[in-house]
Amino acid sequence: MRPLDGIKVIEMAGLAPSPYCGMILADFGADVVIVDRLSKGGPEIPNIMDKNPFDRGKRSIRVNLKNREGADIVRNMIRNGDVLMEPYRPGVMESLGLGPEEALEINPGLIYARLTGWGQEGPYASMAGHDINYIAISGALSLFKRKGERPLPPCNLLGDFAGGGMLCAMGILLALVERSRSGRGQVVDAAMVDGACNLSTLFYGLLAHGLMTLDIGTNMLDSGAPFYQTYETADGKYMGVGAIEGRFYAELLEGLGVDPASLPRQYDMAAWPEIEERFARIFKTKTRDEWAAIFEGKDACVAPVLGLDEVAGHPHNRARDLTVNVDGVLQPAPAPRLSRTPGSVDRAGRPRGTDTKEILEELGLSRSEIDSLLAKEVVEQALGE
């Protein structure tokens, strides 16, 4: 058994954050069905990866939602569903007759999750954007820079995935817990700008208490401190250092072979550039793996910076089964870990529309009705299925 066994989720096809949210739910047992556009006759959400990790454990159906019969299929899914998740601009689902008012009238217990960048209201609500725009407005992007340099976007991890997909999954789970008491569904407004701002809570606290400044790149956690920093090694690779506490800093100095008496005090901020320059020279004298061996098992808070192609081979990651190989595609394992009802990956992602006929049969349609819908191009079955 998994925690979400029996929970039926309708995932309206979208890009990065929404399929990630659906993946989390599927990993923990939810029956997630992706509702995608037809592959012909118009643009579709691109699914650029064969055996897409985001689609693992899910089923899919292709439907022409602009056709009344197509929208009716989704209405039938809503009738017996627990969750509908949609990633479109405000008003799109309403224009299809599938907005939250219509959906909750069909099924008052439905959790209707809306995952967007800007949220459902506000001046930017209907404006286009991407991760970098949402985290820029949230203030979070301003934190990712060295002094004198421009902000560097952390790929799209912060807005799309942490602030978007993960926040939406949490909202859905909160609403499901509340429904278990009230029996009523509700709308979840998960906005990436909200999520990225929420993830920045620590820094609002530090700023309010005078423990950091807006001169980003000079503070302890934003690359200003020599003991919370990355350093290049002799082979052009890197080590990550996070020796904030005094006892960890002492272990760092010991590993580096530095006499503490030869350095300024750890929290002498004016001396941080001098200390960093010395650490940088020392780290360049050995390879990354040589440094990793030196600090192995020590409480110096020092670790090698691994590339994605190295993660699975690290001894700690191997011991924890951090990654899984699903039909030839290496990918992260389900997280977090539950002691009695852990998540699992039961199958790789499959071509969109693979399960169209099966899903329609579950909705009670006859073989002749399904054939008619296929012939009229209301729905589409994946080729070869």
Side-chain angles (χ1 to χ4, degrees):
M1 291 288 291
R2 290 181 289 177
L4 298 180
D5 282 350
I7 298 294
K8 296 181 178 179
V9 178
I10 304 162
E11 178 191 312
M12 306 304 291
L15 296 176
S18 56
Y20 174 64
C21 176
M23 183 199 80
I24 294 171
L25 303 178
D27 282 350
F28 287 91
D31 178 12
V32 179
V33 174
I34 306 165
V35 177
D36 206 349
R37 298 175 172 93
L38 301 188
S39 63
K40 51 192 173 183
E44 63 172 313
I45 299 296
N47 188 28
I48 60 175
M49 291 181 279
D50 183 32
K51 303 171 186 173
N52 188 339
F54 286 149
D55 287 354
R56 67 194 194 190
K58 302 176 185 178
R59 299 187 294 164
S60 64
I61 180 173
R62 287 192 180 274
V63 183
N64 180 1
L65 295 176
K66 294 182 180 179
N67 180 290
R68 174 73 188 186
E69 289 182 278
D72 282 343
I73 290 170
V74 178
R75 292 188 186 92
N76 286 336
M77 295 172 70
I78 288 171
R79 202 175 310 280
N80 296 311
D82 295 288
V83 178
L84 183 147
M85 176 180 53
E86 62 94 356
Y88 309 134
R89 295 194 207 191
V92 171
M93 289 293 281
E94 285 84 349
S95 71
L96 299 169
L98 298 170
E101 287 188 15
E102 296 91 340
L104 286 166
E105 184 175 342
I106 296 169
N107 180 356
L110 184 73
I111 309 304
Y112 195 107
R114 316 197 80 170
L115 175 50
T116 60
W118 304 116
Q120 294 301 307
E121 66 277 321
Y124 285 9
S126 295
M127 191 169 71
H130 279 297
D131 178 294
I132 192 170
N133 310 120
Y134 313 135
I135 68 174
I137 289 295
S138 78
L141 180 56
S142 71
L143 302 172
F144 290 84
K145 58 175 284 190
R146 292 184 181 274
K147 182 173 176 58
E149 297 182 6
R150 60 187 179 181
L152 179 67
C155 298
N156 60 334
L157 292 173
L158 184 56
D160 279 352
F161 301 117
M166 185 73 75
L167 184 80
C168 188
M170 185 180 76
I172 289 168
L173 297 177
L174 291 171
L176 286 170
V177 170
E178 194 281 333
R179 189 185 71 174
S180 71
R181 296 193 294 266
S182 69
R184 299 169 58 194
Q186 60 181 304
V187 178
V188 176
D189 178 359
M192 293 173 227
V193 66
D194 295 4
C197 183
N198 191 271
L199 289 162
S200 307
T201 299
L202 168 67
F203 302 98
Y204 280 89
L206 294 176
L207 190 63
H209 289 83
L211 298 174
M212 70 172 283
T213 74
L214 292 179
D215 187 10
I216 304 301
T218 66
N219 302 293
M220 183 172 66
L221 298 176
D222 61 17
S223 79
F227 49 83
Y228 204 87
Q229 186 62 268
T230 57
Y231 289 98
E232 187 175 2
T233 56
D235 53 349
K237 297 180 181 179
Y238 296 89
M239 296 294 290
V241 175
I244 296 173
E245 295 83 356
R247 65 186 186 277
F248 302 150
Y249 186 69
E251 292 266 10
L252 169 65
L253 297 185
E254 181 181 336
L256 292 175
V258 174
D259 180 359
S262 70
L263 286 177
R265 291 178 297 107
Q266 179 183 1
Y267 280 92
D268 180 355
M269 295 180 66
W272 278 0
E274 173 192 340
I275 300 172
E276 180 180 337
E277 193 274 335
R278 185 165 175 191
F279 285 179
R281 288 201 315 268
I282 295 171
F283 271 107
K284 286 280 283 186
T285 64
K286 291 181 173 62
T287 67
R288 184 195 66 182
D289 292 347
E290 287 172 335
W291 284 119
I294 288 171
F295 287 105
E296 185 76 23
K298 291 185 171 60
D299 283 344
C301 300
V302 178
V305 178
L306 302 180
L308 295 183
D309 59 342
E310 300 175 295
V311 171
H314 189 277
H316 181 78
N317 298 339
R318 283 204 311 269
R320 288 186 59 79
D321 295 322
L322 191 68
T323 58
V324 291
N325 192 305
V326 184
D327 204 8
V329 179
L330 186 69
Q331 54 201 270
R337 298 155 192 256
L338 304 184
S339 62
R340 288 191 300 102
T341 57
S344 62
V345 182
D346 54 14
R347 64 174 180 270
R350 299 183 292 182
R352 297 284 175 87
T354 294
D355 311 288
T356 295
K357 293 179 182 178
E358 175 183 282
I359 292 164
L360 293 176
E361 288 173 355
E362 290 176 2
L363 293 174
L365 277 69
S366 67
R367 172 56 60 185
S368 61
E369 288 173 319
I370 294 171
D371 289 342
S372 175
L373 291 172
L374 289 166
K376 291 186 290 185
E377 297 187 344
V378 175
V379 298
E380 182 179 286
Q381 176 74 24
L383 295 176
E385 300 294 333

